[in-house]
Amino acid sequence: CMAVEKPYLEASLKIAALASKLSISTNHLSETINGYANQSFYEFINQHRIEEAKRLLNDHSFTNLSVSDIGYQSGFNSNSTFFSHFKKYLGQTPSAFRKLN
């Protein structure tokens, strides 16, 4: 589901909505993510969003988009959240990542 349907691109995604989409209970989804990914639901979703942002920042067909636009395209609903999570996971800002890659 995450790889094909990319539900994490929806900025307002909630665990209940994803569980419903997968036809499982919210509790089961939470336990599965915690157990297998060793992350909370939001850490799991934001990691997927960061991977999407990295892909877009590296894709030359998206050079016309600003770094902020890339964040929104990746499912983040604010610049500050996007920037803080990007730096947390990669140790650099999205702009620095784009320049280096």
Side-chain angles (χ1 to χ4, degrees):
C1 175
M2 296 303 282
V4 175
E5 297 178 28
K6 299 183 177 186
Y8 53 86
L9 296 178
E10 181 186 329
S12 62
L13 180 66
K14 304 282 187 237
I15 192 167
L18 184 56
S20 177
K21 181 181 195 73
L22 297 170
S23 301
I24 61 174
S25 73
T26 301
N27 190 46
H28 182 70
L29 178 57
S30 178
E31 288 176 359
T32 301
I33 291 171
N34 288 328
Y36 288 100
N38 199 29
Q39 296 176 310
S40 72
F41 171 73
Y42 288 107
E43 289 171 326
F44 181 74
I45 294 302
N46 286 329
Q47 186 171 4
H48 279 81
R49 289 173 174 163
I50 293 300
E51 291 302 318
E52 180 71 9
K54 284 172 46 181
R55 186 186 71 75
L56 295 175
L57 289 166
N58 280 327
D59 189 329
H60 294 299
S61 62
F62 291 97
T63 55
N64 61 316
L65 292 180
S66 70
V67 170
S68 294
D69 289 337
I70 296 286
Y72 291 117
Q73 291 283 326
S74 301
F76 288 98
N77 59 8
S78 78
N79 280 328
S80 61
T81 303
F82 172 50
F83 281 64
S84 66
H85 284 292
F86 199 95
K87 191 157 188 174
K88 174 183 170 185
Y89 286 105
L90 298 176
Q92 60 187 328
T93 65
S95 297
F97 179 85
R98 180 180 249 178
K99 287 177 186 173
L100 291 172
N101 294 291

